[in-house]
């Protein structure tokens, strides 16, 4: 329980917070116990960032593909229907002088079948690529600092997390 109290105090002190209702803050979501990741897996995930971003950028510019892929979802999902209607009202492919894609690419690591020739290997599985709710990029670095403060004995095994480097 002490770690939880310390973590919440740390979150509020460093600004690891979010608005829950106007004028009221709560701590942003975070894991209390970090799961260290080996440098090789971290590097593999980081290497996937640019290709995934490029794919998202290309898909977002393919009106025919998007219309075909989202048509059925728009029949049952109000938000998707609204986005598709909006895309019909705005000239598709209009060029803006500057574009920015901020995304979040979530993975989990899976240990492969111990009875196969891949025994002992780790596979990366993509959970989500999110270009709409890529919020909290500045907070994930604070989460890293929280974990390093709470678990100093694990500090050396924590992967760095500086998502804003290169953006600001």
């Amino acid at each position: 329980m002490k770690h939880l109290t310390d973590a919440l105090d740390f979150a509020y002190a460093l600004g690891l917070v979010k608005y829950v209702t106007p004028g009221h803050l709560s701590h942003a979501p975070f894991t209390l116990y970090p799961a260290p990741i080996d440098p090789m897996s971290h590097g593999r995930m980081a290497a996937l960032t640019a290709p995934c971003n490029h794919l998202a950028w290309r898909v977002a510019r393919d009106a025919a593909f998007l219309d075909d892929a989202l048509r059925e979802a728009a029949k049952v999902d109000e938000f998707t229907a609204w986005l598709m209607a909006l895309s019909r009202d705005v000239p598709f492919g209009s060029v803006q002088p500057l574009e920015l894609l901020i995304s979040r690419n979530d993975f989990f690591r899976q240990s492969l079948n111990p009875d196969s020739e891949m025994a002992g290997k780790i596979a990366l599985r993509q959970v989500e690529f999110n270009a709409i709710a890529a919020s909290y990029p500045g907070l994930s670095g604070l989460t890293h600092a929280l974990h390093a403060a709470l678990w100093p004995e694990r500090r050396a095994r924590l992967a760095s997390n500086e998502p804003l480097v290169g953006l600001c």
Side-chain angles (χ1 to χ4, degrees):
M1 195 61 161
K2 178 178 175 356
H3 281 302
L4 177 58
T5 303
D6 290 347
L8 292 174
D9 288 346
F10 187 91
Y12 283 107
L14 260 62
L16 186 56
V17 295
K18 65 177 183 170
Y19 277 105
V20 287
T21 57
H24 298 287
L25 295 173
S26 177
H27 62 85
F30 60 83
T31 58
L32 188 56
Y33 301 103
I37 186 165
D38 62 279
M40 183 181 290
S41 292
H42 186 264
R44 288 172 54 207
M45 287 183 272
L48 290 170
T49 300
C52 286
N53 284 346
H54 185 72
L55 177 62
W57 185 83
R58 295 278 309 265
V59 167
R61 277 145 191 78
D62 189 336
F65 172 80
L66 289 172
D67 186 60
D68 184 55
L70 298 174
R71 187 178 305 116
E72 292 300 313
K75 292 177 183 176
V76 295
D77 182 72
E78 184 178 311
F79 182 69
T80 302
W82 176 78
L83 287 175
M84 290 186 71
L86 181 64
S87 74
R88 287 188 289 276
D89 294 340
V90 175
F92 202 88
S94 59
V95 178
Q96 298 179 17
L98 186 62
E99 296 178 344
L100 174 66
L101 170 65
I102 298 178
S103 62
R104 188 184 72 232
N105 204 354
D106 300 341
F107 296 93
F108 70 85
R109 297 172 346 130
Q110 178 184 25
S111 296
L112 297 177
N113 186 342
D115 298 327
S116 75
E117 66 277 357
M118 298 298 286
K121 302 282 186 192
I122 300 292
L124 297 178
R125 302 294 187 227
Q126 187 174 26
V127 177
E128 176 180 31
F129 180 85
N130 202 322
I132 294 176
S135 59
Y136 303 144
L139 299 183
S140 58
L142 295 177
T143 302
H144 181 271
L146 177 142
H147 289 151
L150 288 177
W151 308 102
E153 68 279 5
R154 298 181 186 179
R155 183 175 293 148
R157 293 176 31 216
L158 295 173
S160 68
N161 193 348
E162 301 176 34
L164 297 179
V165 169
L167 290 179
C168 301

